[in-house]
Structure formats: structure tokens, C-alpha cells
Amino acid sequence: MVLCLICFRPSCKVFYAKDPLKIVRAQGQYMFDEKGEKYLDCINNVAHVGHSHPYVIKAATKQMELLNTNSRFLHDNLVQYAQCLTATLPEKLSVCYFVNSGSEANDLALRLARQYRGHQDVITLENAYHGHVTSLIDISPYKFNQLGKDSKKEYVHVAPSPDIYRGKYREDHPDPASAYAEEVKKIIEETQKNGRKIAAFIAESMQSCGGQVIPPVGYFQKVAEYVRAAGGVFIADEVQVGFGRVGKHFWAFQLQGEDFVPDIVTMGKPIGNGHPMSCVVTTREIAEGFGASGLEYFNTFGGNPVSCAIGLAVLDVIEKEDLQGNATHVGNYLLELLAEQKEKHPLVGDIRGVGLFIGVDLVKDKQKRTPATAEALHLIYKLKERQILLSADGPYRNILKFKPPMCFTMEDAKHAVETLDALLTEMEEATGMKTENNASTNVQCKRKTTGESSQPEGASESISHVNGAACRQENGIYSKKRSVPSKRIRT
């Protein structure tokens, strides 16, 4: 009873607060309540390779039966995992710090950035969220704006979100990437006039809580140029979007192009498939600057043998089950189905996404792009009644977010969109909204779901890890011996 009271305090909320779910088990992309009812999970980017994956469970159990201790001792799992993880990243990102949560990773990234050149100020994006600890609330407008107009610290500078649907520069702008990057440059110049120095620019590679925003290609390159010229570093937050979710690449920042490499990358959530672990990866130069402070860095649980065994297992599953390929195939199919809904329903203003990271922007008026906040909340609860779990976020809470486990199937996508279609039709009929194209009202989700000719161009593209994908763990399911890449790493 005490726990229930704590859960429902105003500062600690649950999904579907008006009618919360009690989930007792989960498997793959499904969750089950205490009555045995099955729900399709469209939102869980923590259970990355699927809830209760047997291979991950076996790896964790096997290592826990042998040893778990802190990283003051040498252990093969730590070195092997660092090697396998850095093999997915550009060459210069070679030093790993293992920690326990996305918040802890981003907090450490700030410490690394500030120690590197002795600068203090941070540039963040509108609606950004980077974690729940004090240092990260300070750089997360998604959070600190709730505290009032005077809540922003003087060392924090907020740049416009590079949102080409709702932002300052939209899809009709000839070069939105440069325009948004120039906004960052202006902040740097103003900051320097005031005698302050930039330590870092931090951004999710794709904004999640900010509304499923995908930055225009070229934006990060230009921002990194301006920030580095000012003595700062670029931090790419991959906590919600990394580990192959975008399909064609292992990391979302790689969508910007091969010529962009962050100075620091943070990761969490999917890294352990529900196990509390995270990591910061940076360059040797930044790591050596951090070490030169004379202040020892130690993390009791970061990089422990069990966490590293789990991390290795997750990488193995992503590769062996071709979950990047699945994210591409299913994600393209889901985008195609949702695009039909945009043509059919006046409530659907925009569909954006890549891989299994997709946002549905609901609007009351397509021309004015008026956020349909109440309608989004209503849809979320109606979908729950149909046993489909989805959430709404963004600054207006009107963006439906698809971030399912990576084992999500075409059948799942078809079922979710057909249900969404029916509910949108009900809502529009009840409110008097008329479809914009009467001819399209008979469109049904009848795409084939077997990978046949109905797949959009490029959906069958073969995807593999960057810089090597031969890290496998031998534990009875995937038994091929792991080969360790020759890339030099430091942990």
C-alpha cells in the first residue's frame, strides 16, 4: 500500500494515470497485465531487443552465478565489451566510461566537456531532455521550463529546435540546416561578448521528448564547426535513439553523414535491454584532459561483469537477429501505412521518422498546424482499451510516439495502424470533422506483410554494424566464437 501511494504522488507519475496498468510479465513486443490480457508494446525503447529475451537472460544468469563485483578488478567482460562497442563507432571514439543510467552518462559527459578546456557554458536545444539529475535538469528546457521563467541558469543557452515542421525554419526553407546552425553561431557570439566560454553543445541525435524531431542533414556538421572553433565539444545523446533503431545505421548521429563525428557520445536505455547500465564514449584527447584534473573517477557498478555480459548479449542479438534490417523493413512499412492516414484524416498533420523511431503529429487544423493535445490524449486511452500501448509527447503533448522493441513486426504495424485508423474515424465523425479527400476514406491498410513487392524502395537494404560486427558471445544460442577487433581502446 505504501508503494502504491508513493507511485501516485504528483511528482511520480505512471502511464495512463486515470486508469493505470499493472504489468506482471512481458515477452518480445508484448506485455501482460495481472488478468493475463496481452498488450502490443509500441513505446518501449528500453526492452530494445524484446522483453525477456532468453539469450540476454541466459548471459546475465551465467555471469551472475560466477561473479559480480566492482571494476577495481580486472575482468575479460569489461575489455571485450568495450572493444565490441567501440567497433560500432568512428575510430576516434575509443575511450569508454561505463556507468549505470542515461542521466549518469550525460552528467559525466558534461564533466568531461567542462574539464577539457576549463569552460563552463552549455548550449542545448528547445524542448530538450537529457536526464533527471540536477546538472541535467539545468540543461533540459523540457524540464526547467516547468519551474517558471527565471529557472534557466546563466550558463545555459537555448538554441531553436531544428524542427522543420513546427520550428522557426520549416520544410519550405532552402537550407534549414544552415539556418538553424546560424542560430547556434549567434548564441556563441553573444556569449563571447559577455565574457563567457562554451564548454559544449549537447543534443539528442533525434529529439524524442521534444517531439520526434529529426534534424536536417548537415545541421550537426555546421554546429560542430562553430562550437569547436569556440573551444567547446559536441555531445551526441544517443540514450533513446542508438543501437540500430534508425535501421540503416547503428547510431542516429550517422544519419548526418560520414563526415560528422561527435566528440562525446552518451548511451543508455537500450544498451542493457532493461538492465541498468550506460556508457560514455569519447576521444583519447578529451579523456586525457579529464584525467589530468587529478580527480580520480570511479563508479562502483559501472562496467561490472554482469552488466558487460548483458551488454555483449544485446550486441549479439542485434546482429544475429538482424534487428537493424528489421527496423528498416518494418519502419518503412509503418511509415507507408501512416502516410496513408495523413492523406485520409484531417487530424494527422505530419508523419516523420526513420527506422523504428516515428512521430505522428496530430493537429486541429492542417494549415495552421494547431496542436491537437486533447485529441492525442484521448487516442492514447482509446488505444489502450484496444490493448495497444502508445504515448504522446512533445512540447504540446500532441505527438504520438512509435518506439517499439526492435522485434516489432509488419503484422504488428498493420494492426496498430488499422486500429488507429478506426479510432481517428470515430473521433472525426463524433466532432464533425470531415475527411479532406472523400475518395480516400475507403483506403484500408491492406499492404502485404511478407516482404513482397509492396515494400517501399530500399526496404530490403542489407544493414550491418559499422566498423565490424564480429563480436559474438558463446552461451548455447549464438555459439560462434567472438573475434575481437584490433582497434585500440581504453576503459
Side-chain angles (χ1 to χ4, degrees):
M1 181 61 70
V2 173
L3 289 176
C4 291
L5 289 173
I6 291 173
C7 286
F8 289 98
R9 297 291 294 175
S11 61
C12 185
K13 297 180 180 179
V14 295
F15 283 129
Y16 311 105
K18 295 179 180 178
D19 184 23
L21 281 172
K22 180 180 179 182
I23 299 296
V24 297
R25 68 183 181 91
Q27 186 72 46
Q29 66 273 47
Y30 299 104
M31 304 183 82
F32 300 84
D33 68 14
E34 80 276 21
K35 298 176 183 177
E37 296 291 334
K38 182 172 76 171
Y39 294 83
L40 177 62
D41 183 0
C42 300
I43 55 177
N44 208 311
N45 62 337
V46 176
H48 189 63
V49 300
H51 293 279
S52 306
H53 196 288
Y55 183 63
V56 178
I57 292 171
K58 186 172 183 178
T61 303
K62 181 178 179 180
Q63 182 56 52
M64 194 169 287
E65 287 175 343
L66 293 173
L67 170 72
N68 200 25
T69 185
N70 66 41
S71 52
R72 293 287 192 188
F73 300 95
L74 301 178
H75 198 278
D76 288 346
N77 284 0
L78 177 62
V79 177
Q80 290 173 351
Y81 184 50
Q83 289 173 322
C84 288
L85 187 60
T86 56
T88 69
L89 290 158
E91 185 71 23
K92 78 171 193 175
L93 294 168
S94 60
V95 183
C96 299
Y97 295 88
F98 292 109
V99 286
N100 306 291
S101 70
S103 291
E104 202 172 336
N106 281 330
D107 179 75
L108 177 56
L110 287 181
R111 287 182 59 188
L112 288 165
R114 284 170 169 159
Q115 174 63 31
Y116 181 51
R117 292 267 172 79
H119 299 176
Q120 176 71 12
D121 288 28
V122 176
I123 301 174
T124 187
L125 293 176
E126 289 174 331
N127 311 313
Y129 174 66
H130 295 290
H132 63 80
V133 300
T134 300
S135 65
L136 302 177
I137 295 294
D138 287 347
I139 64 167
S140 298
Y142 181 83
K143 287 294 185 181
F144 72 63
N145 282 340
Q146 300 175 35
L147 302 176
K149 62 179 181 179
D150 297 324
S151 58
K152 186 175 75 68
K153 301 293 190 295
E154 62 179 1
Y155 56 81
V156 176
H157 313 280
V158 181
S161 172
D163 181 350
I164 63 170
Y165 181 71
R166 290 194 174 278
K168 185 174 182 179
Y169 308 106
R170 299 188 173 184
E171 68 274 10
D172 58 350
H173 192 281
D175 187 2
S178 295
Y180 278 116
E182 283 296 315
E183 295 290 332
V184 176
K185 183 180 181 182
K186 291 175 185 176
I187 289 173
I188 294 171
E189 290 171 347
E190 185 64 27
T191 301
Q192 291 174 330
K193 287 179 183 178
N194 295 328
R196 307 191 67 91
K197 296 180 179 180
I198 300 298
F201 172 91
I202 184 170
E204 288 181 277
S205 299
M206 302 186 297
Q207 279 190 289
S208 181
C209 293
Q212 304 295 91
V213 175
I214 303 171
V217 174
Y219 171 66
F220 282 175
Q221 288 92 327
K222 294 177 185 298
V223 168
E225 178 185 345
Y226 299 145
V227 170
R228 288 165 181 161
V233 302
F234 192 109
I235 303 172
D237 181 341
E238 293 268 339
V239 170
Q240 298 208 52
V241 298
F243 291 88
R245 178 160 293 280
V246 300
K248 65 180 92 174
H249 300 291
F250 203 71
W251 303 104
F253 71 77
Q254 292 170 322
L255 291 169
Q256 292 282 308
E258 293 182 1
D259 60 332
F260 172 68
V261 180
D263 301 294
I264 303 173
V265 177
T266 62
M267 51 195 77
K269 292 188 189 299
I271 193 173
N273 209 54
H275 179 79
M277 61 183 295
S278 61
C279 185
V280 179
V281 184
T282 189
T283 66
R284 179 171 183 170
E285 183 182 14
I286 292 174
E288 288 178 346
F290 186 56
S293 69
L295 181 65
E296 177 195 45
Y297 180 77
F298 173 69
N299 189 298
T300 301
F301 297 109
N304 69 75
V306 170
S307 292
C308 290
I310 290 171
L312 284 164
V314 169
L315 293 180
D316 287 346
V317 173
I318 293 171
E319 179 192 345
K320 294 296 292 184
E321 297 184 7
D322 188 24
L323 294 183
Q324 279 186 254
N326 191 64
T328 296
H329 306 328
V330 179
N332 284 352
Y333 180 64
L334 180 54
L335 282 168
E336 184 182 9
L337 296 180
L338 289 170
E340 291 178 357
Q341 303 310 305
K342 179 183 175 182
E343 295 302 315
K344 179 177 180 180
H345 295 288
L347 273 170
V348 181
D350 188 43
I351 304 296
R352 50 185 176 265
V354 58
L356 288 174
F357 180 91
I358 296 171
V360 180
D361 197 315
L362 299 181
V363 297
K364 295 179 181 179
D365 185 302
K366 284 194 175 184
Q367 296 300 317
K368 298 179 181 179
R369 304 185 180 186
T370 311
T373 302
E375 290 82 355
L377 180 63
H378 178 77
L379 265 177
I380 293 305
Y381 273 89
K382 284 296 182 180
L383 285 165
K384 172 179 167 287
E385 290 176 6
R386 307 287 182 94
Q387 294 170 273
I388 295 174
L389 305 182
L390 203 61
S391 66
D393 215 330
Y396 305 104
R397 299 294 193 272
N398 69 308
I399 314 295
L400 304 183
K401 302 198 304 183
F402 283 87
K403 295 186 297 182
M406 295 278 279
C407 53
F408 207 68
T409 67
M410 291 183 179
E411 289 79 7
D412 296 329
K414 183 173 183 289
H415 173 56
V417 177
E418 285 182 338
T419 306
L420 181 63
D421 179 20
L423 290 172
L424 286 169
T425 300
E426 288 178 11
M427 289 177 63
E428 289 162 355
E429 290 176 351
T431 59
M433 297 181 75
K434 294 183 179 180
T435 54
E436 297 180 344
N437 184 348
N438 291 332
S440 69
T441 57
N442 293 322
V443 174
Q444 299 295 324
C445 300
K446 295 181 180 178
R447 294 289 185 270
K448 297 177 183 179
T449 59
T450 59
E452 300 178 15
S453 59
S454 65
Q455 287 304 299
E457 184 179 354
S460 61
E461 178 183 0
S462 177
I463 305 297
S464 63
H465 287 195
V466 177
N467 293 336
C471 296
R472 299 180 175 88
Q473 188 170 21
E474 183 175 354
N475 69 6
I477 299 179
Y478 305 142
S479 59
K480 188 172 180 178
K481 185 177 180 181
R482 178 185 300 115
S483 63
V484 175
S486 60
K487 176 179 177 180
R488 182 179 180 183
I489 57 94
R490 299 175 65 209
T491 63

